[in-house]
Amino acid sequence: AKIVLDAAVAAGAPKDIIGYVEEPTLPISNALMRHPAVNLILATGGPAMVKSAYSSGKPAIGVGAGNTPVVVDETADIKRCVSSILMSK
């Protein structure tokens, strides 16, 4: 996440555009997922993390380790999204 944040800031994004936890634990992740300001959870990791996301009481998209959840909205260039998602693997 730090690499992506540094690249985003270098490209002109605000310095706090991306937040991350340097040493994540399941209790910290659970606290974040249950925070009132969170309205969608994109979870990746082992079965415990994905189960925790689905048990949070919030809408969640969970995938196994090494995979990335993706949200594509109505403004997206679908062909470019498909290409980018496939190339990211």
Side-chain angles (χ1 to χ4, degrees):
K2 175 137 179 34
I3 292 169
V4 174
L5 173 60
D6 291 345
V9 171
K15 65 180 175 67
D16 59 353
I17 190 81
I18 297 171
Y20 64 95
V21 177
E22 288 188 35
E23 296 183 34
T25 64
L26 197 51
I28 289 172
S29 296
N30 283 331
L32 287 170
M33 288 187 277
R34 286 175 171 72
H35 191 280
V38 171
N39 59 18
L40 174 66
I41 299 165
L42 304 176
T44 182
M49 180 58 70
V50 173
K51 181 178 180 183
S52 183
Y54 287 144
S55 300
S56 70
K58 311 265 178 103
I61 300 170
V63 298
N67 295 298
T68 303
V70 177
V71 175
V72 178
D73 75 7
E74 66 276 359
T75 65
D77 176 334
I78 299 299
K79 288 183 180 182
R80 185 173 184 183
C81 285
V82 170
S83 175
S84 295
I85 293 166
L86 291 174
M87 293 301 294
S88 72
K89 206 53 187 149

